[in-house]
């Protein structure tokens, strides 16, 4: 079984070597993620923070461990 495993390992290693050589000779063109990845990530984090910041501050919730006696119903507007 050992010769079979060694042959399989050499085939895998040879495949990796061929892939590395093939990619080394290509010109690296920047992809969308290379160009805009960080910007998109930061903009998404800013929008996420802004939306949740608005939601958490706009709600009339009194934060605490127990809401008993803290939450009172508001008057109905007609």
């Amino acid at each position: 079984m050992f010769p079979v495993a060694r042959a399989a390992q050499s085939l895998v290693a040879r495949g990796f070597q061929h892939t590395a050589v093939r990619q080394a000779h290509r010109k690296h063109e920047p992809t969308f993620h290379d160009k805009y990845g960080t910007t998109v990530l930061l903009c998404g984090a800013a929008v996420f923070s802004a939306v949740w910041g608005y939601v958490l501050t706009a709600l009339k919730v009194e934060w605490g461990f127990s809401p008993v006696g803290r939450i009172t119903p508001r008057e109905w507007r007609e």
Side-chain angles (χ1 to χ4, degrees):
M1 194 67 176
F2 180 72
V4 173
R6 184 196 280 165
Q9 183 181 11
S10 69
L11 284 176
V12 170
R14 194 174 307 141
F16 283 135
Q17 288 171 347
H18 284 286
T19 303
V21 167
R22 199 173 33 226
Q23 290 178 353
H25 291 296
R26 262 187 7 181
K27 280 190 171 180
H28 176 68
E29 300 170 358
T31 63
F32 176 84
H33 297 288
D34 292 335
K35 289 182 186 177
Y36 308 111
T38 305
T39 306
V40 170
L41 179 68
L42 292 176
C43 290
V47 169
F48 177 85
S49 300
V51 168
W52 276 107
Y54 173 77
V55 168
L56 292 175
T57 57
L59 291 176
K60 302 283 185 188
V61 176
E62 295 193 18
W63 299 99
F65 292 110
S66 174
V68 175
R70 293 182 186 203
I71 298 175
T72 57
R74 289 188 280 177
E75 293 294 325
W76 180 257
R77 288 182 269 169
E78 292 192 34

